[in-house]
Amino acid sequence: MRSASERGLRVVGAVVGGYLLTVLTVIAAGAVLARLGMARSEAVALSSMLGFVFYLALLVWAFSVRPAARLWIVLAAGVALMATVIHLVD
């Protein structure tokens, strides 16, 4: 049985951290697709639609991964990676 604090950290990580990572991933994907030649409006629409699937997958994964620390490490690494991609593309 997991403790209440671990469950709370997992919920916050899944909802808030997953949302932040999804937002940055959508921005990065839209910028990269536009840079590769896709029309900017289509790139934004496609990356936004894929963002829903990505967020759902993150939520499911967040509650299935064993140690909560792994969740936070992956979220932090993903946020850092997407921020770097956004900085390099724009």
Side-chain angles (χ1 to χ4, degrees), residues 8-29:
L9 283 173
R10 192 175 298 271
V11 168
V12 169
V15 175
V16 177
Y19 184 79
L20 177 63
L21 181 56
T22 301
V23 167
L24 291 176
T25 303
V26 166
I27 293 169

Side-chain angles (χ1 to χ4, degrees), residues 2-87:
R2 295 183 179 140
S3 68
S5 62
E6 185 179 350
R7 281 191 303 256
L9 283 173
R10 192 175 298 271
V11 168
V12 169
V15 175
V16 177
Y19 184 79
L20 177 63
L21 181 56
T22 301
V23 167
L24 291 176
T25 303
V26 166
I27 293 169
V32 168
L33 289 172
R35 179 63 67 100
L36 291 176
M38 184 181 277
R40 188 135 183 104
S41 60
E42 292 178 4
V44 169
L46 177 62
S47 62
S48 296
M49 287 186 282
L50 292 175
F52 288 108
V53 176
F54 183 71
Y55 186 58
L56 177 62
L58 269 176
L59 286 175
V60 170
W61 175 77
F63 290 103
S64 66
V65 67
R66 275 291 184 201
R70 184 179 300 160
L71 166 67
W72 284 96
I73 290 168
V74 169
L75 289 175
V79 166
L81 177 66
M82 289 302 120
T84 303
V85 169
I86 292 168
H87 179 69

